[in-house]
Amino acid sequence: VTSIFTLELAFRFVVLRCQLFREPLNWIDIIAVCSSLLEWVVQDTAMNGAIVRLARLSRLARGLTTMRFTKVQQSLNVLIKCLKTSLTTLFWALCLLVVVQAIIGIATVQVAHSYIVDLHNPEEKRHELYRYFGTFTRAFISMFEIHMANWATPCRIFMESVGEYYGGAIVLYRCVIGFSLMNV
């Protein structure tokens, strides 16, 4: 296989000459062929073969450039155009999500602050609440966690520390913001 790639690269060099070095995809081929030749010449060294195989796989990207006018690429182009046109919507949805989560984060910090500074509350619960909602940054990250991933743990900590009604408020926040912003 290395000899076939080497012959192909040599043929392209004869045809294209110095223009071969101007295209970045050709550099991938040159690196893949040179590393294959090096691996073939020095087979007993401690060279990582997986990297060479990955470089060879990158040659498949060249095959995509030859599919310019096929029906397969037309549907791929439609998908790429859809992604490009939805970038502005995605950007504004993320901006709105960040603003809403910042506002809710500020509110949770204010609610949690009174519980955290009250020395009559158990110290372990205060530390646990502080880890999730003690500062704006922690609350902001917790809001992302509630919104995107594991919402139950921060909700339970907030509910058990501050009050049960706040657990319902967090679940309501999760449902409303989750369904409205994430399904845009």
Side-chain angles (χ1 to χ4, degrees):
V1 175
T2 301
S3 58
I4 293 172
F5 288 147
T6 305
L7 288 174
E8 185 230 352
L9 186 64
F11 179 73
R12 276 195 286 152
F13 180 72
V14 168
V15 172
L16 296 175
R17 300 190 193 252
C18 290
Q19 290 180 348
L20 178 78
F21 300 109
R22 293 186 184 145
E23 189 175 334
L25 288 176
N26 288 334
W27 278 102
I28 293 173
D29 292 343
I30 292 168
I31 292 169
V33 168
C34 288
S35 62
S36 296
L37 286 173
L38 185 65
E39 181 186 25
W40 185 52
V41 170
V42 187
Q43 291 179 355
D44 295 331
T45 62
M47 186 179 211
N48 191 353
I51 295 173
V52 174
R53 286 188 281 282
L54 283 174
R56 287 181 191 158
L57 281 176
S58 65
R59 291 177 56 89
L60 292 176
R62 291 191 57 77
L64 294 176
T65 60
T66 61
M67 294 176 27
R68 287 199 178 141
F69 300 107
T70 65
K71 290 184 179 183
V72 173
Q73 193 188 14
Q74 288 174 356
S75 61
L76 181 64
N77 283 337
V78 168
L79 287 173
I80 290 172
K81 284 181 185 178
C82 289
L83 287 173
K84 284 180 181 178
T85 55
S86 68
L87 283 178
T88 55
T89 305
L90 175 66
F91 171 75
W92 288 113
L94 285 176
C95 287
L96 181 62
L97 178 67
V98 166
V99 168
V100 168
Q101 288 187 342
I103 291 169
I104 301 296
I106 291 169
T108 56
V109 167
Q110 295 301 315
V111 171
H113 178 72
S114 61
Y115 184 87
I116 292 169
V117 296
D118 188 3
L119 297 176
H120 297 296
N121 294 323
E123 187 174 349
E124 182 180 317
K125 291 280 189 190
R126 290 187 301 139
H127 284 288
E128 191 174 39
L129 186 63
Y130 181 81
R131 275 198 311 269
Y132 282 91
F133 301 102
T135 64
F136 170 73
T137 308
R138 291 172 187 264
F140 190 69
I141 297 299
S142 294
M143 288 297 111
F144 267 104
E145 183 179 1
I146 288 169
H147 188 72
M148 303 284 188
N150 184 15
W151 64 273
T153 304
C155 178
R156 286 214 181 268
I157 290 170
F158 205 72
M159 186 175 73
E160 290 172 0
S161 300
V162 180
E164 291 181 6
Y165 296 114
Y166 292 106
I170 288 177
V171 169
L172 180 68
Y173 160 78
R174 167 81 166 107
C175 292
V176 170
I177 299 299
F179 292 131
S180 63
L181 282 180
M182 292 305 289
N183 293 331
V184 168

